[in-house]
PDB file of all heavy atoms in Angstrom:
ATOM      1  N   LEU A   1      54.680 -53.050  43.941  1.00 98.00           N
ATOM      2  CA  LEU A   1      54.564 -51.701  44.468  1.00 98.00           C
ATOM      3  C   LEU A   1      53.298 -51.592  45.312  1.00 98.00           C
ATOM      4  O   LEU A   1      52.266 -52.176  44.964  1.00 98.00           O
ATOM      5  CB  LEU A   1      54.511 -50.676  43.334  1.00 98.00           C
ATOM      6  CG  LEU A   1      55.781 -50.520  42.497  1.00 98.00           C
ATOM      7  CD1 LEU A   1      55.556 -49.493  41.380  1.00 98.00           C
ATOM      8  CD2 LEU A   1      56.963 -50.119  43.354  1.00 98.00           C
ATOM      9  N   VAL A   2      53.399 -50.850  46.416  1.00 98.00           N
ATOM     10  CA  VAL A   2      52.248 -50.610  47.285  1.00 98.00           C
ATOM     11  C   VAL A   2      52.095 -49.102  47.477  1.00 98.00           C
ATOM     12  O   VAL A   2      53.082 -48.371  47.484  1.00 98.00           O
ATOM     13  CB  VAL A   2      52.397 -51.319  48.657  1.00 98.00           C
ATOM     14  CG1 VAL A   2      52.409 -52.821  48.483  1.00 98.00           C
ATOM     15  CG2 VAL A   2      53.638 -50.866  49.390  1.00 98.00           C
ATOM     16  N   THR A   3      50.846 -48.662  47.617  1.00 97.00           N
ATOM     17  CA  THR A   3      50.617 -47.227  47.767  1.00 97.00           C
ATOM     18  C   THR A   3      49.354 -46.938  48.561  1.00 97.00           C
ATOM     19  O   THR A   3      48.373 -47.674  48.468  1.00 97.00           O
ATOM     20  CB  THR A   3      50.526 -46.525  46.398  1.00 97.00           C
ATOM     21  OG1 THR A   3      50.391 -45.117  46.602  1.00 97.00           O
ATOM     22  CG2 THR A   3      49.361 -47.035  45.564  1.00 97.00           C
ATOM     23  N   ALA A   4      49.400 -45.855  49.309  1.00 96.00           N
ATOM     24  CA  ALA A   4      48.220 -45.353  50.009  1.00 96.00           C
ATOM     25  C   ALA A   4      47.454 -44.385  49.112  1.00 96.00           C
ATOM     26  O   ALA A   4      46.333 -43.991  49.442  1.00 96.00           O
ATOM     27  CB  ALA A   4      48.631 -44.654  51.304  1.00 96.00           C
ATOM     28  N   TYR A   5      48.059 -44.001  48.006  1.00 95.00           N
ATOM     29  CA  TYR A   5      47.464 -43.020  47.095  1.00 95.00           C
ATOM     30  C   TYR A   5      47.428 -43.583  45.675  1.00 95.00           C
ATOM     31  O   TYR A   5      48.229 -43.191  44.825  1.00 95.00           O
ATOM     32  CB  TYR A   5      48.259 -41.708  47.121  1.00 95.00           C
ATOM     33  CG  TYR A   5      48.444 -41.182  48.520  1.00 95.00           C
ATOM     34  CD1 TYR A   5      49.632 -41.389  49.205  1.00 95.00           C
ATOM     35  CD2 TYR A   5      47.404 -40.508  49.159  1.00 95.00           C
ATOM     36  CE1 TYR A   5      49.792 -40.930  50.506  1.00 95.00           C
ATOM     37  CE2 TYR A   5      47.550 -40.050  50.459  1.00 95.00           C
ATOM     38  CZ  TYR A   5      48.742 -40.263  51.118  1.00 95.00           C
ATOM     39  OH  TYR A   5      48.896 -39.809  52.405  1.00 95.00           O
ATOM     40  N   PRO A   6      46.504 -44.512  45.403  1.00 95.00           N
ATOM     41  CA  PRO A   6      46.455 -45.129  44.072  1.00 95.00           C
ATOM     42  C   PRO A   6      46.263 -44.083  42.977  1.00 95.00           C
ATOM     43  O   PRO A   6      45.482 -43.149  43.126  1.00 95.00           O
ATOM     44  CB  PRO A   6      45.247 -46.060  44.144  1.00 95.00           C
ATOM     45  CG  PRO A   6      44.916 -46.205  45.581  1.00 95.00           C
ATOM     46  CD  PRO A   6      45.450 -45.002  46.284  1.00 95.00           C
ATOM     47  N   ASP A   7      46.992 -44.256  41.908  1.00 95.00           N
ATOM     48  CA  ASP A   7      46.930 -43.361  40.760  1.00 95.00           C
ATOM     49  C   ASP A   7      46.978 -44.245  39.519  1.00 95.00           C
ATOM     50  O   ASP A   7      47.962 -44.972  39.311  1.00 95.00           O
ATOM     51  CB  ASP A   7      48.125 -42.401  40.801  1.00 95.00           C
ATOM     52  CG  ASP A   7      48.151 -41.441  39.642  1.00 95.00           C
ATOM     53  OD1 ASP A   7      48.084 -41.892  38.471  1.00 95.00           O
ATOM     54  OD2 ASP A   7      48.255 -40.231  39.890  1.00 95.00           O
ATOM     55  N   GLU A   8      45.947 -44.201  38.710  1.00 96.00           N
ATOM     56  CA  GLU A   8      45.843 -45.085  37.557  1.00 96.00           C
ATOM     57  C   GLU A   8      46.981 -44.865  36.556  1.00 96.00           C
ATOM     58  O   GLU A   8      47.478 -45.824  35.965  1.00 96.00           O
ATOM     59  CB  GLU A   8      44.490 -44.920  36.867  1.00 96.00           C
ATOM     60  CG  GLU A   8      44.236 -45.907  35.747  1.00 96.00           C
ATOM     61  CD  GLU A   8      44.361 -47.378  36.156  1.00 96.00           C
ATOM     62  OE1 GLU A   8      44.078 -47.734  37.319  1.00 96.00           O
ATOM     63  OE2 GLU A   8      44.756 -48.194  35.297  1.00 96.00           O
ATOM     64  N   LEU A   9      47.415 -43.624  36.371  1.00 96.00           N
ATOM     65  CA  LEU A   9      48.529 -43.375  35.437  1.00 96.00           C
ATOM     66  C   LEU A   9      49.829 -43.981  35.949  1.00 96.00           C
ATOM     67  O   LEU A   9      50.587 -44.578  35.181  1.00 96.00           O
ATOM     68  CB  LEU A   9      48.693 -41.875  35.191  1.00 96.00           C
ATOM     69  CG  LEU A   9      47.569 -41.207  34.406  1.00 96.00           C
ATOM     70  CD1 LEU A   9      47.791 -39.702  34.332  1.00 96.00           C
ATOM     71  CD2 LEU A   9      47.457 -41.807  33.015  1.00 96.00           C
ATOM     72  N   VAL A  10      50.091 -43.831  37.249  1.00 95.00           N
ATOM     73  CA  VAL A  10      51.301 -44.412  37.841  1.00 95.00           C
ATOM     74  C   VAL A  10      51.225 -45.937  37.755  1.00 95.00           C
ATOM     75  O   VAL A  10      52.196 -46.607  37.408  1.00 95.00           O
ATOM     76  CB  VAL A  10      51.479 -43.956  39.312  1.00 95.00           C
ATOM     77  CG1 VAL A  10      52.627 -44.680  39.983  1.00 95.00           C
ATOM     78  CG2 VAL A  10      51.685 -42.445  39.367  1.00 95.00           C
ATOM     79  N   ARG A  11      50.062 -46.502  38.067  1.00 96.00           N
ATOM     80  CA  ARG A  11      49.862 -47.951  37.997  1.00 96.00           C
ATOM     81  C   ARG A  11      50.133 -48.470  36.589  1.00 96.00           C
ATOM     82  O   ARG A  11      50.883 -49.428  36.387  1.00 96.00           O
ATOM     83  CB  ARG A  11      48.436 -48.307  38.418  1.00 96.00           C
ATOM     84  CG  ARG A  11      48.105 -49.786  38.295  1.00 96.00           C
ATOM     85  CD  ARG A  11      46.592 -50.025  38.527  1.00 96.00           C
ATOM     86  NE  ARG A  11      46.235 -51.365  38.175  1.00 96.00           N
ATOM     87  CZ  ARG A  11      46.040 -51.810  36.931  1.00 96.00           C
ATOM     88  NH1 ARG A  11      46.140 -50.994  35.903  1.00 96.00           N
ATOM     89  NH2 ARG A  11      45.733 -53.067  36.704  1.00 96.00           N
ATOM     90  N   LYS A  12      49.521 -47.816  35.601  1.00 96.00           N
ATOM     91  CA  LYS A  12      49.660 -48.260  34.215  1.00 96.00           C
ATOM     92  C   LYS A  12      51.122 -48.200  33.760  1.00 96.00           C
ATOM     93  O   LYS A  12      51.627 -49.146  33.162  1.00 96.00           O
ATOM     94  CB  LYS A  12      48.777 -47.402  33.307  1.00 96.00           C
ATOM     95  CG  LYS A  12      48.727 -47.894  31.891  1.00 96.00           C
ATOM     96  CD  LYS A  12      47.729 -47.098  31.075  1.00 96.00           C
ATOM     97  CE  LYS A  12      47.683 -47.636  29.657  1.00 96.00           C
ATOM     98  NZ  LYS A  12      46.723 -46.915  28.826  1.00 96.00           N
ATOM     99  N   ARG A  13      51.796 -47.121  34.081  1.00 96.00           N
ATOM    100  CA  ARG A  13      53.203 -46.981  33.675  1.00 96.00           C
ATOM    101  C   ARG A  13      54.069 -48.028  34.368  1.00 96.00           C
ATOM    102  O   ARG A  13      54.938 -48.641  33.746  1.00 96.00           O
ATOM    103  CB  ARG A  13      53.711 -45.573  34.023  1.00 96.00           C
ATOM    104  CG  ARG A  13      55.215 -45.439  33.937  1.00 96.00           C
ATOM    105  CD  ARG A  13      55.670 -44.582  32.793  1.00 96.00           C
ATOM    106  NE  ARG A  13      57.085 -44.731  32.539  1.00 96.00           N
ATOM    107  CZ  ARG A  13      58.013 -43.868  32.892  1.00 96.00           C
ATOM    108  NH1 ARG A  13      57.684 -42.762  33.528  1.00 96.00           N
ATOM    109  NH2 ARG A  13      59.274 -44.083  32.595  1.00 96.00           N
ATOM    110  N   ALA A  14      53.834 -48.243  35.670  1.00 96.00           N
ATOM    111  CA  ALA A  14      54.624 -49.227  36.420  1.00 96.00           C
ATOM    112  C   ALA A  14      54.447 -50.625  35.828  1.00 96.00           C
ATOM    113  O   ALA A  14      55.429 -51.354  35.635  1.00 96.00           O
ATOM    114  CB  ALA A  14      54.231 -49.203  37.895  1.00 96.00           C
ATOM    115  N   LEU A  15      53.208 -51.003  35.534  1.00 95.00           N
ATOM    116  CA  LEU A  15      52.963 -52.328  34.961  1.00 95.00           C
ATOM    117  C   LEU A  15      53.565 -52.444  33.573  1.00 95.00           C
ATOM    118  O   LEU A  15      54.124 -53.493  33.209  1.00 95.00           O
ATOM    119  CB  LEU A  15      51.470 -52.635  34.949  1.00 95.00           C
ATOM    120  CG  LEU A  15      50.817 -52.788  36.336  1.00 95.00           C
ATOM    121  CD1 LEU A  15      49.308 -52.936  36.209  1.00 95.00           C
ATOM    122  CD2 LEU A  15      51.418 -53.944  37.107  1.00 95.00           C
ATOM    123  N   GLN A  16      53.507 -51.371  32.782  1.00 96.00           N
ATOM    124  CA  GLN A  16      54.137 -51.379  31.456  1.00 96.00           C
ATOM    125  C   GLN A  16      55.649 -51.514  31.574  1.00 96.00           C
ATOM    126  O   GLN A  16      56.288 -52.153  30.739  1.00 96.00           O
ATOM    127  CB  GLN A  16      53.785 -50.115  30.681  1.00 96.00           C
ATOM    128  CG  GLN A  16      52.371 -50.092  30.177  1.00 96.00           C
ATOM    129  CD  GLN A  16      51.985 -48.758  29.541  1.00 96.00           C
ATOM    130  OE1 GLN A  16      52.621 -47.726  29.763  1.00 96.00           O
ATOM    131  NE2 GLN A  16      50.913 -48.774  28.766  1.00 96.00           N
ATOM    132  N   ASP A  17      56.230 -50.907  32.610  1.00 95.00           N
ATOM    133  CA  ASP A  17      57.677 -50.987  32.823  1.00 95.00           C
ATOM    134  C   ASP A  17      58.111 -52.382  33.276  1.00 95.00           C
ATOM    135  O   ASP A  17      59.293 -52.695  33.241  1.00 95.00           O
ATOM    136  CB  ASP A  17      58.131 -49.959  33.865  1.00 95.00           C
ATOM    137  CG  ASP A  17      58.150 -48.536  33.326  1.00 95.00           C
ATOM    138  OD1 ASP A  17      58.024 -48.350  32.092  1.00 95.00           O
ATOM    139  OD2 ASP A  17      58.295 -47.605  34.147  1.00 95.00           O
ATOM    140  N   GLY A  18      57.153 -53.190  33.780  1.00 95.00           N
ATOM    141  CA  GLY A  18      57.501 -54.546  34.191  1.00 95.00           C
ATOM    142  C   GLY A  18      57.258 -54.865  35.653  1.00 95.00           C
ATOM    143  O   GLY A  18      57.564 -55.978  36.099  1.00 95.00           O
ATOM    144  N   VAL A  19      56.736 -53.896  36.424  1.00 96.00           N
ATOM    145  CA  VAL A  19      56.398 -54.176  37.819  1.00 96.00           C
ATOM    146  C   VAL A  19      55.344 -55.279  37.827  1.00 96.00           C
ATOM    147  O   VAL A  19      54.426 -55.287  37.005  1.00 96.00           O
ATOM    148  CB  VAL A  19      55.878 -52.895  38.517  1.00 96.00           C
ATOM    149  CG1 VAL A  19      55.213 -53.220  39.842  1.00 96.00           C
ATOM    150  CG2 VAL A  19      57.021 -51.908  38.708  1.00 96.00           C
ATOM    151  N   LEU A  20      55.473 -56.213  38.745  1.00 95.00           N
ATOM    152  CA  LEU A  20      54.600 -57.377  38.774  1.00 95.00           C
ATOM    153  C   LEU A  20      53.203 -57.059  39.296  1.00 95.00           C
ATOM    154  O   LEU A  20      52.210 -57.460  38.704  1.00 95.00           O
ATOM    155  CB  LEU A  20      55.251 -58.464  39.645  1.00 95.00           C
ATOM    156  CG  LEU A  20      54.557 -59.799  39.676  1.00 95.00           C
ATOM    157  CD1 LEU A  20      54.572 -60.444  38.301  1.00 95.00           C
ATOM    158  CD2 LEU A  20      55.218 -60.699  40.693  1.00 95.00           C
ATOM    159  N   CYS A  21      53.121 -56.360  40.432  1.00 96.00           N
ATOM    160  CA  CYS A  21      51.831 -56.027  41.041  1.00 96.00           C
ATOM    161  C   CYS A  21      51.867 -54.596  41.557  1.00 96.00           C
ATOM    162  O   CYS A  21      52.916 -54.109  41.976  1.00 96.00           O
ATOM    163  CB  CYS A  21      51.510 -56.949  42.221  1.00 96.00           C
ATOM    164  SG  CYS A  21      51.243 -58.672  41.803  1.00 96.00           S
ATOM    165  N   TYR A  22      50.712 -53.966  41.558  1.00 97.00           N
ATOM    166  CA  TYR A  22      50.531 -52.614  42.089  1.00 97.00           C
ATOM    167  C   TYR A  22      49.353 -52.706  43.043  1.00 97.00           C
ATOM    168  O   TYR A  22      48.214 -52.902  42.616  1.00 97.00           O
ATOM    169  CB  TYR A  22      50.246 -51.650  40.928  1.00 97.00           C
ATOM    170  CG  TYR A  22      50.090 -50.205  41.290  1.00 97.00           C
ATOM    171  CD1 TYR A  22      51.167 -49.329  41.224  1.00 97.00           C
ATOM    172  CD2 TYR A  22      48.847 -49.699  41.668  1.00 97.00           C
ATOM    173  CE1 TYR A  22      51.012 -47.981  41.523  1.00 97.00           C
ATOM    174  CE2 TYR A  22      48.685 -48.353  41.981  1.00 97.00           C
ATOM    175  CZ  TYR A  22      49.785 -47.504  41.903  1.00 97.00           C
ATOM    176  OH  TYR A  22      49.628 -46.169  42.204  1.00 97.00           O
ATOM    177  N   LEU A  23      49.625 -52.625  44.351  1.00 97.00           N
ATOM    178  CA  LEU A  23      48.614 -52.860  45.374  1.00 97.00           C
ATOM    179  C   LEU A  23      48.330 -51.590  46.167  1.00 97.00           C
ATOM    180  O   LEU A  23      49.240 -50.818  46.462  1.00 97.00           O
ATOM    181  CB  LEU A  23      49.075 -53.955  46.332  1.00 97.00           C
ATOM    182  CG  LEU A  23      49.478 -55.288  45.695  1.00 97.00           C
ATOM    183  CD1 LEU A  23      49.983 -56.233  46.763  1.00 97.00           C
ATOM    184  CD2 LEU A  23      48.321 -55.887  44.928  1.00 97.00           C
ATOM    185  N   SER A  24      47.072 -51.429  46.548  1.00 96.00           N
ATOM    186  CA  SER A  24      46.666 -50.294  47.377  1.00 96.00           C
ATOM    187  C   SER A  24      46.705 -50.678  48.844  1.00 96.00           C
ATOM    188  O   SER A  24      46.380 -51.809  49.209  1.00 96.00           O
ATOM    189  CB  SER A  24      45.248 -49.856  47.015  1.00 96.00           C
ATOM    190  OG  SER A  24      45.198 -49.406  45.685  1.00 96.00           O
ATOM    191  N   LYS A  25      47.110 -49.718  49.679  1.00 95.00           N
ATOM    192  CA  LYS A  25      47.067 -49.902  51.133  1.00 95.00           C
ATOM    193  C   LYS A  25      45.649 -49.605  51.604  1.00 95.00           C
ATOM    194  O   LYS A  25      45.021 -48.699  51.064  1.00 95.00           O
ATOM    195  CB  LYS A  25      48.045 -48.953  51.827  1.00 95.00           C
ATOM    196  CG  LYS A  25      49.499 -49.203  51.499  1.00 95.00           C
ATOM    197  CD  LYS A  25      50.363 -48.155  52.176  1.00 95.00           C
ATOM    198  CE  LYS A  25      51.820 -48.257  51.781  1.00 95.00           C
ATOM    199  NZ  LYS A  25      52.627 -47.199  52.389  1.00 95.00           N
ATOM    200  N   PRO A  26      45.134 -50.288  52.587  1.00 93.00           N
ATOM    201  CA  PRO A  26      45.762 -51.436  53.239  1.00 93.00           C
ATOM    202  C   PRO A  26      45.811 -52.621  52.275  1.00 93.00           C
ATOM    203  O   PRO A  26      44.860 -52.870  51.533  1.00 93.00           O
ATOM    204  CB  PRO A  26      44.855 -51.726  54.432  1.00 93.00           C
ATOM    205  CG  PRO A  26      43.518 -51.169  54.042  1.00 93.00           C
ATOM    206  CD  PRO A  26      43.806 -50.011  53.127  1.00 93.00           C
ATOM    207  N   VAL A  27      46.922 -53.316  52.296  1.00 94.00           N
ATOM    208  CA  VAL A  27      47.157 -54.416  51.374  1.00 94.00           C
ATOM    209  C   VAL A  27      46.348 -55.634  51.805  1.00 94.00           C
ATOM    210  O   VAL A  27      46.342 -55.999  52.979  1.00 94.00           O
ATOM    211  CB  VAL A  27      48.670 -54.749  51.326  1.00 94.00           C
ATOM    212  CG1 VAL A  27      48.930 -56.002  50.519  1.00 94.00           C
ATOM    213  CG2 VAL A  27      49.451 -53.575  50.759  1.00 94.00           C
ATOM    214  N   ASP A  28      45.667 -56.237  50.843  1.00 94.00           N
ATOM    215  CA  ASP A  28      44.943 -57.480  51.080  1.00 94.00           C
ATOM    216  C   ASP A  28      45.976 -58.605  51.205  1.00 94.00           C
ATOM    217  O   ASP A  28      46.763 -58.835  50.283  1.00 94.00           O
ATOM    218  CB  ASP A  28      43.985 -57.744  49.914  1.00 94.00           C
ATOM    219  CG  ASP A  28      43.270 -59.059  50.042  1.00 94.00           C
ATOM    220  OD1 ASP A  28      42.196 -59.091  50.685  1.00 94.00           O
ATOM    221  OD2 ASP A  28      43.793 -60.067  49.519  1.00 94.00           O
ATOM    222  N   ASP A  29      45.984 -59.295  52.356  1.00 94.00           N
ATOM    223  CA  ASP A  29      46.983 -60.333  52.622  1.00 94.00           C
ATOM    224  C   ASP A  29      47.007 -61.414  51.543  1.00 94.00           C
ATOM    225  O   ASP A  29      48.079 -61.842  51.103  1.00 94.00           O
ATOM    226  CB  ASP A  29      46.732 -60.990  53.982  1.00 94.00           C
ATOM    227  CG  ASP A  29      46.864 -60.026  55.146  1.00 94.00           C
ATOM    228  OD1 ASP A  29      47.194 -58.845  54.927  1.00 94.00           O
ATOM    229  OD2 ASP A  29      46.620 -60.462  56.287  1.00 94.00           O
ATOM    230  N   ASP A  30      45.831 -61.869  51.120  1.00 95.00           N
ATOM    231  CA  ASP A  30      45.767 -62.938  50.117  1.00 95.00           C
ATOM    232  C   ASP A  30      46.303 -62.472  48.768  1.00 95.00           C
ATOM    233  O   ASP A  30      46.986 -63.225  48.075  1.00 95.00           O
ATOM    234  CB  ASP A  30      44.329 -63.437  49.953  1.00 95.00           C
ATOM    235  CG  ASP A  30      43.824 -64.163  51.191  1.00 95.00           C
ATOM    236  OD1 ASP A  30      44.648 -64.731  51.939  1.00 95.00           O
ATOM    237  OD2 ASP A  30      42.600 -64.153  51.417  1.00 95.00           O
ATOM    238  N   HIS A  31      45.996 -61.238  48.394  1.00 95.00           N
ATOM    239  CA  HIS A  31      46.492 -60.708  47.119  1.00 95.00           C
ATOM    240  C   HIS A  31      48.021 -60.574  47.172  1.00 95.00           C
ATOM    241  O   HIS A  31      48.715 -60.930  46.214  1.00 95.00           O
ATOM    242  CB  HIS A  31      45.831 -59.366  46.816  1.00 95.00           C
ATOM    243  CG  HIS A  31      45.943 -58.970  45.384  1.00 95.00           C
ATOM    244  ND1 HIS A  31      45.289 -57.892  44.871  1.00 95.00           N
ATOM    245  CD2 HIS A  31      46.634 -59.486  44.346  1.00 95.00           C
ATOM    246  CE1 HIS A  31      45.583 -57.758  43.591  1.00 95.00           C
ATOM    247  NE2 HIS A  31      46.397 -58.722  43.251  1.00 95.00           N
ATOM    248  N   LEU A  32      48.535 -60.088  48.291  1.00 96.00           N
ATOM    249  CA  LEU A  32      49.984 -59.987  48.446  1.00 96.00           C
ATOM    250  C   LEU A  32      50.624 -61.362  48.333  1.00 96.00           C
ATOM    251  O   LEU A  32      51.627 -61.532  47.638  1.00 96.00           O
ATOM    252  CB  LEU A  32      50.346 -59.348  49.789  1.00 96.00           C
ATOM    253  CG  LEU A  32      51.840 -59.305  50.104  1.00 96.00           C
ATOM    254  CD1 LEU A  32      52.592 -58.444  49.100  1.00 96.00           C
ATOM    255  CD2 LEU A  32      52.069 -58.807  51.516  1.00 96.00           C
ATOM    256  N   GLU A  33      50.045 -62.351  48.981  1.00 95.00           N
ATOM    257  CA  GLU A  33      50.606 -63.705  48.926  1.00 95.00           C
ATOM    258  C   GLU A  33      50.610 -64.244  47.496  1.00 95.00           C
ATOM    259  O   GLU A  33      51.591 -64.847  47.052  1.00 95.00           O
ATOM    260  CB  GLU A  33      49.828 -64.638  49.850  1.00 95.00           C
ATOM    261  CG  GLU A  33      50.462 -66.012  49.965  1.00 95.00           C
ATOM    262  CD  GLU A  33      49.778 -66.904  50.972  1.00 95.00           C
ATOM    263  OE1 GLU A  33      48.674 -66.575  51.454  1.00 95.00           O
ATOM    264  OE2 GLU A  33      50.366 -67.954  51.286  1.00 95.00           O
TER     265      GLU A  33
END
C-alpha cells in the first residue's frame, strides 16, 4: 500500500491484516524494490 497521507492506525491495521508493506509518497525507489 502507498499513501500521501500516512496514518499510523491505518498502517497498523493493514499490516495486521497481512499487507506486506505500507509506504509513504513519495515512494523511496529502493524500499519499493
Side-chain angles (χ1 to χ4, degrees):
L1 293 178
V2 295
T3 184
Y5 307 99
D7 180 307
E8 186 56 31
L9 291 175
V10 173
R11 176 189 169 281
K12 187 174 181 179
R13 167 110 194 257
L15 294 174
Q16 287 173 341
D17 285 349
V19 166
L20 186 64
C21 294
Y22 182 94
L23 305 177
S24 297
K25 296 177 186 177
V27 173
D28 176 88
D29 297 358
D30 292 333
H31 198 172
L32 175 63
E33 187 175 12

